[in-house]
Every structure is written in C-alpha cells, then in structure tokens.
Amino acid sequence: MDGAGEDRPANAARHPEPRIEWFNVPLMRDLEIVERPAQQTTLTKRYTQEAREIIRENKDRPFFLYLAYAFPHIPLFASEDFLGKSRRGLYGDVVEELDWSVGQLLDTLSEEGLADNTLVFFTSDNGPWTVMEEMGGSAGLLRGGKGSTWEGGMRVPGIAWWPGTIPGGEVRRDLACTMDLYTTAISLAGGSVPEDREVDGIDMTPMLKGEGPGNRGEYYYYRGTQLYAARIGPHKAHFVERDGYGRSEPAVFDPPEVYHLGVDPGEQYALEEPPTEVMAELEERVEKHRSSIAPVESQLEKKIEE
Amino acid sequence: MDGAGEDRPANAARHPEPRIEWFNVPLMRDLEIVERPAQQTTLTKRYTQEAREIIRENKDRPFFLYLAYAFPHIPLFASEDFLGKSRRGLYGDVVEELDWSVGQLLDTLSEEGLADNTLVFFTSDNGPWTVMEEMGGSAGLLRGGKGSTWEGGMRVPGIAWWPGTIPGGEVRRDLACTMDLYTTAISLAGGSVPEDREVDGIDMTPMLKGEGPGNRGEYYYYRGTQLYAARIGPHKAHFVERDGYGRSEPAVFDPPEVYHLGVDPGEQYALEEPPTEVMAELEERVEKHRSSIAPVESQLEKKIEE
C-alpha cells in the first residue's frame, strides 16, 4: 500500500505534470517520519526557512550547514509563487525557486553579520538525468548525463561566496571536486585531516582566494567500484564507457579513448594519436592511484544492520 | 597555378595546423588585389588597425562601419601574441585575438569621445561548421550547425554596447535577427525604410534601450530559397530538416515537427501533440509570409555580369 492511486502513470510519464500523491515519500526529521506523503510543493521553501533558523541560532559559534535541496531531482515541485514564472517550464520554475532560496540564505548571513567569515559553496551531485528528457535538466555542450562518466554526467557547477576573502565575479578554470570540500572545510576551521587513512580531498583554499592555481592535477571517474576514466591535466582517458543508466553492457577501450578537454570539452573527437608522454604519465598515475585503494566497510549497510 | 604547394593536405586535414601557402587567397582593397597569398596571421590585427583609423578619421561626422573579421572562419590564423594563449587550442587563440580587437575598438571610441553616441553591435553570421570538428566551433547545447536550420546553425550571439543609452550587463531574451540591424540603424539615424518594397527588418531600438519588449514575434528559417522552419513565439515548426552541409537528401515533415524552444532549446524532444491554437496560428502566419515573398534580381550575379 503506497497510496499512489490507480491513475498513477508509469515511470517517466509521471514527471511532466507530477502529483504529490503519486510519490508517497516520507519527510523525516532525523530518523522520525514527520509527514507522508511529503507536501513537496513547499519543500524548497521549508528547507530554506529551516536553514535560516539554523544560521540565526548558531550565529555566535562556528557552524557547518549541509543543505541538500531535494530538487531539481525529479519529481519536480515548485511553490505557487514560482509556478509558471520561468520560460523553461517546471524545471525552470524549480531552479528559479532554488535561486531565490540561495539569495535568502546569503541575505540572512549578511543580516546576521556573518558574511565576512562564512564560506558558502554551491554545487550539485551529478549531471542531468537525460532519460527524463526536459524534466531531467541539460548538460549544455557536455556529452552524456547522470550515470555516465562523460563530462555531462560528472561535471557540476561550483560557486564559492565569501565577501572580502574570495574575489567576486571571477571564473577559475582549475579542477576541483566535491571530495575537496571536506579537506577545505577542515583546513579553514584550523584542523587537519586524519593521517591514518588515504584522504582523496585537496585543500581548495589558495585557489578559491585567488592566491594560486588549484593543486588537483588529476581526477578518477568511477561507476560503482570500477574505474571508468582518468583525467591528467587537460587529457581524459576512457577505459570503459556507458552513456547513462539503463544500458546493459559497457564498452571497453583498450587502448583507452583519449580526449583533450580544453580543445574539446564536448568529448566529440578522440585523439588519433595521444602524445606518448601523456600516455606514459597516465599509466603511471593510474597504477599509483589503484594501489592506493583499500576496500572499506559499507557505511550504509552498517547503518541498516544497526 | 594556385601556389598551394604539393604537400597541401585535402580538405579538413588542412585546418588543425594551417599554413598560409595552402590558401592562396587574395587580400583586396575595394576591387584591387593588394596581397596574395594574404598574410593571414596578421589579418585580425590589420583589420582592427584599419577600423581604428576609420573611426578617428570620421569622428566629426556620422559614420557606419561594417567590420567583418575573416576569423573564426577556417582556415584559422592568430598572431604570435595570441598563439597558444588560450586553453581551447587554435580556435580559442583566434577568439581571444578577436576579443582583444573588439576591446581596442571600444577603447578608441571612448578615447575619441564617441562612446555615448555610437551603437556597437557584435554578432555572427551562423553557427559552427561542425564537419570541421573542433576547428569549426561549438553550438553548446544547441542542435546542429552551419547549413542546418536547427538552432545550432542559425542562433548567434548578439551583443549591443552604447554606454548611457543601453543598460549594461543585462540579458534580453527577445527574438531578433541580423535583418533587424538595417531597420534599427536607419531608425537611429532618423531615416525611414523604403516603402516601395517588403522590408523584413524590425526596429530593435526600444528593446535595446530596455524601454519595452522586442517586436519580433516570428522568424522564418531558410536554406537557399526554401522555407525549412518557422518560429512563432517559443514554438518552432520544422517542415524540412538537414543536419548541415554535405547530406544529400533533406527529410520532409508533414505535419511539421514542433519544438518548444523555451523548455527545450536543444530541440531534443518534438511535441507529441502541439497545441491546436499554435498550429492554426503557424499555418496562418506562414501563409501570410509566403504570400509576401517576391523574387528579386540576384545582386551577386548582376555584379559579376558588370
């Protein structure tokens, strides 16, 4: 019994005009269900309001706020104030409400006198879910989407705000990833990362402040536990490729397909003859990376067993 | 005898590392050849220098300057100052030199006290030539390229500069096209367009000044003399489609394929059931447009015969 109703369409057909009763999702506070089905049209605003309260309640001490809006993951819902406001349909309306929400949070930080000692970092977890068509977003010129290790699946916005410390209106072309947020946050808080394990994050602080280039010279693209691709500087090598979720068999490339992401960010034109020094460095770094991997206990399975 | 040399590769293979001697093009002043082959590495800078002189020589009277840089059309050449400067290879270097050049022209206008009574409009003639791969540019999220009537072939940047008259740093989402430049320029100069013929341009002035919305509610997409597609507001109907130059047979759609460019600017998802009122208006407007077309003498053929 999931309360979805008999008229619920299957899969993707639900999403152009979603109804709350088709998605019997719970809204939880800690481990307690407080609402079911969640009234999703007001979810963005309620998250924003809750975040503003957390900022105000903690303004006199250091705090770390991780705010993960549910949207623009499908099913998409916007409040009445934003429905029909954009030219990009429901997806655009949802994004406008998120944009408004971020503005509310920045205003709150400024009102509380916290703007000059708070780093705000805005990012996303993956590219568009392309099988959901225009309800799933767009990767622009980038190839592929969510579930693939093409840039369209992996590259996300990264916007940093810290008036007086991070210069405004500038674009850094350096490589960074969400794993770097952990290391950066610890660095800014004056701590140090654990030394009893391999930590993949790199401190972004000098790059964010404009004091120097980013220190991430490489990036490894995984699907699950399998290495699909590796990037060294502007060169990206694909060992395995899948366009996204749903395709059953991956394509394997040996030798790898190599693209120059500076000249060809859309990964349209594999290099016919990748430079030998690039291939040598790639092999060396990938081997080093692989040897640094140690399987760890699944934190999710551990939680479920508790 | 075209002086191209025996080692000139065929077609697209010339363009990743072009040499001046492979392209025996003349540089002309009016109808006189002044240099052959044109020393293309300095072409952008020389056009810029010439344009600056024209501005200075005409600063005391009204003038109209049409400056059509040869690049980023292939073959691509940049001066030594810009070679290797960008992260986007030769194409990026060429664009950086064009960007620098435009800056030189804006500086010249400001230095000569002309900034507040000069409209500068920056645009292009078509989208990327995709068969030239990364040497041909990119249409970003738009579908298709040069030679097609998908948005990737037809949509171009349109940047207007006129300090004190056109508000800076704003984005207008209105429809406009290069045919509108003629009508706008005449309007700004206090003239009126000829009334003895059909003129397709629309005066952009109110839209540019931020005084009101654009007045172009429709646009017709041609390849040669054939109507391939029509846009009414956000809806675009394709009657005929070709991905670009080189494909021999066009695909014909009857009924037309209709896309909503607001929700789906990438033209990925044709509407299953276009709104009947949209289809009715489309039919009416296209018929009116077709009836307004009168064949005229080819100006190019006339010139050649002279």
Side-chain angles (χ1 to χ4, degrees):
Chain A
M1 175 67 190
D2 68 357
E6 287 181 6
D7 61 345
R8 183 177 73 166
N11 303 325
R14 289 174 208 161
H15 296 294
E17 293 177 57
R19 293 187 210 158
I20 283 166
E21 63 268 27
W22 292 344
F23 307 92
N24 193 27
V25 288
L27 179 65
M28 303 179 75
R29 180 177 295 281
D30 297 327
L31 294 176
E32 190 195 340
I33 294 175
V34 294
E35 188 177 294
R36 185 167 194 170
Q39 295 304 306
Q40 297 201 58
T41 52
T42 54
L43 212 50
T44 295
K45 276 194 173 158
R46 286 191 283 165
Y47 281 16
T48 302
Q49 185 56 31
E50 185 98 5
R52 294 181 73 179
E53 283 163 23
I54 290 168
I55 292 169
R56 286 182 186 131
E57 285 164 12
N58 292 280
K59 64 181 180 181
D60 295 323
R61 56 173 192 168
F63 64 88
F64 180 90
L65 171 61
Y66 171 66
L67 173 58
Y69 285 103
F71 314 119
H73 198 293
I74 53 157
L76 298 169
F77 291 95
S79 73
E80 278 187 20
D81 293 345
F82 288 90
L83 270 183
K85 197 182 169 193
S86 80
R87 300 196 185 189
R88 174 57 175 83
L90 180 56
Y91 190 96
D93 299 344
V94 164
V95 170
E96 292 210 5
E97 186 154 25
L98 290 170
D99 182 56
W100 172 85
S101 289
V102 172
Q104 293 290 301
L105 299 178
L106 299 184
D107 286 352
T108 305
L109 289 169
S110 296
E111 285 158 21
E112 302 297 339
L114 298 174
D116 66 356
N117 69 340
T118 306
L119 167 63
V120 178
F121 201 93
F122 181 93
T123 187
S124 178
D125 57 345
N126 49 250
W129 200 0
T130 52
V131 293
M132 294 300 165
E133 304 193 342
E134 71 271 39
M135 295 296 114
S138 163
L141 61 64
L142 302 178
R143 183 168 174 179
K146 178 181 178 177
S148 85
T149 46
W150 297 110
E151 292 297 295
M154 305 291 281
R155 211 186 277 211
V156 292
I159 304 172
W161 181 90
W162 189 355
T165 299
I166 297 179
E170 292 187 9
V171 177
R172 306 252 181 279
R173 295 172 185 277
D174 289 292
L175 191 57
C177 72
T178 44
M179 290 186 295
D180 299 338
L181 289 170
Y182 169 74
T183 304
T184 303
I186 287 182
S187 162
L188 288 170
S192 47
V193 297
E195 291 182 357
D196 62 344
R197 68 204 75 176
E198 192 80 24
V199 171
D200 296 304
I202 285 171
D203 184 6
M204 291 188 284
T205 311
M207 185 262 282
L208 291 176
K209 290 183 174 176
E211 293 170 354
N215 292 318
R216 176 172 283 285
E218 59 193 31
Y219 184 76
Y220 300 96
Y221 299 73
Y222 277 85
R223 178 152 155 161
T225 57
Q226 199 182 354
L227 184 67
Y228 270 42
R231 176 172 170 180
I232 309 292
H235 290 94
K236 179 176 172 187
H238 291 263
F239 310 108
V240 188
E241 176 257 310
R242 292 168 91 168
D243 273 344
Y245 292 134
R247 252 178 70 177
S248 50
E249 288 304 317
V252 176
F253 299 106
D254 185 14
E257 264 192 4
V258 180
Y259 296 82
H260 188 293
L261 295 183
V263 172
D264 175 28
E267 293 170 290
Q268 296 296 306
Y269 316 110
L271 300 182
E272 283 185 27
E273 293 175 21
T276 46
E277 66 274 20
V278 169
M279 297 310 287
E281 191 181 354
L282 187 76
E283 194 173 337
E284 188 188 320
R285 292 225 215 172
V286 167
E287 195 173 309
K288 192 176 163 204
H289 166 73
R290 283 194 197 273
S291 70
S292 77
I293 301 289
V296 293
E297 200 181 0
S298 164
Q299 299 301 301
L300 187 61
E301 282 173 22
K302 194 171 127 190
K303 193 79 200 167
I304 291 167
E305 281 162 16
E306 272 174 14
Chain B
M1 177 64 190
D2 67 356
E6 287 181 6
D7 61 345
R8 183 177 74 165
N11 303 325
R14 287 175 210 160
H15 295 294
E17 293 177 56
R19 294 189 209 157
I20 283 165
E21 62 268 26
W22 292 344
F23 307 92
N24 193 26
V25 288
L27 180 64
M28 303 178 76
R29 181 178 294 281
D30 298 327
L31 293 176
E32 190 195 340
I33 295 175
V34 294
E35 189 177 295
R36 186 166 193 170
Q39 294 305 307
Q40 297 201 59
T41 51
T42 55
L43 213 50
T44 295
K45 276 196 172 157
R46 286 191 283 165
Y47 280 17
T48 302
Q49 185 55 32
E50 186 98 6
R52 296 182 72 180
E53 283 163 23
I54 289 168
I55 292 168
R56 286 182 185 132
E57 284 163 12
N58 291 279
K59 65 181 178 180
D60 296 323
R61 56 175 193 166
F63 64 90
F64 181 90
L65 171 61
Y66 171 66
L67 173 58
Y69 285 104
F71 312 120
H73 198 292
I74 53 157
L76 298 169
F77 291 95
S79 72
E80 279 187 20
D81 292 346
F82 289 90
L83 271 183
K85 198 182 169 193
S86 80
R87 299 197 185 190
R88 174 57 175 82
L90 181 56
Y91 191 96
D93 299 343
V94 164
V95 169
E96 292 211 3
E97 186 154 24
L98 290 169
D99 183 54
W100 172 86
S101 289
V102 172
Q104 292 290 303
L105 299 177
L106 299 183
D107 286 351
T108 305
L109 289 169
S110 295
E111 285 158 19
E112 302 297 339
L114 298 173
D116 66 355
N117 69 341
T118 305
L119 167 63
V120 178
F121 201 92
F122 181 92
T123 187
S124 178
D125 58 345
N126 49 250
W129 200 0
T130 52
V131 293
M132 293 300 164
E133 303 193 343
E134 71 271 40
M135 296 295 115
S138 163
L141 61 63
L142 303 178
R143 182 168 174 180
K146 178 181 180 178
S148 85
T149 47
W150 296 111
E151 292 297 293
M154 306 291 283
R155 210 185 277 211
V156 292
I159 305 171
W161 181 90
W162 188 355
T165 299
I166 297 179
E170 292 187 9
V171 178
R172 307 250 181 281
R173 295 172 185 275
D174 290 293
L175 191 57
C177 72
T178 43
M179 292 186 294
D180 300 339
L181 289 171
Y182 169 74
T183 305
T184 303
I186 286 181
S187 162
L188 288 170
S192 47
V193 297
E195 292 182 357
D196 62 345
R197 70 204 73 178
E198 193 79 24
V199 171
D200 296 305
I202 286 171
D203 184 6
M204 290 187 286
T205 311
M207 184 262 282
L208 290 177
K209 289 182 176 176
E211 294 170 356
N215 292 317
R216 175 172 285 285
E218 59 192 31
Y219 184 77
Y220 300 95
Y221 299 72
Y222 277 84
R223 178 152 155 162
T225 57
Q226 199 182 355
L227 184 68
Y228 270 42
R231 177 172 171 179
I232 309 292
H235 290 94
K236 178 175 172 187
H238 291 263
F239 310 108
V240 188
E241 175 258 308
R242 291 168 93 167
D243 273 343
Y245 293 133
R247 252 179 69 178
S248 50
E249 289 304 315
V252 176
F253 299 106
D254 186 15
E257 263 191 6
V258 180
Y259 295 82
H260 189 295
L261 295 183
V263 173
D264 175 27
E267 293 170 290
Q268 297 293 308
Y269 315 110
L271 300 181
E272 282 184 28
E273 294 175 20
T276 47
E277 65 275 20
V278 169
M279 297 311 287
E281 191 181 354
L282 187 75
E283 194 174 337
E284 188 189 318
R285 292 226 215 172
V286 167
E287 194 174 310
K288 193 177 163 205
H289 166 73
R290 283 193 197 273
S291 70
S292 78
I293 302 288
V296 292
E297 200 180 0
S298 164
Q299 300 299 302
L300 186 60
E301 284 172 20
K302 195 170 126 190
K303 193 79 200 166
I304 291 166
E305 283 161 14
E306 274 174 11

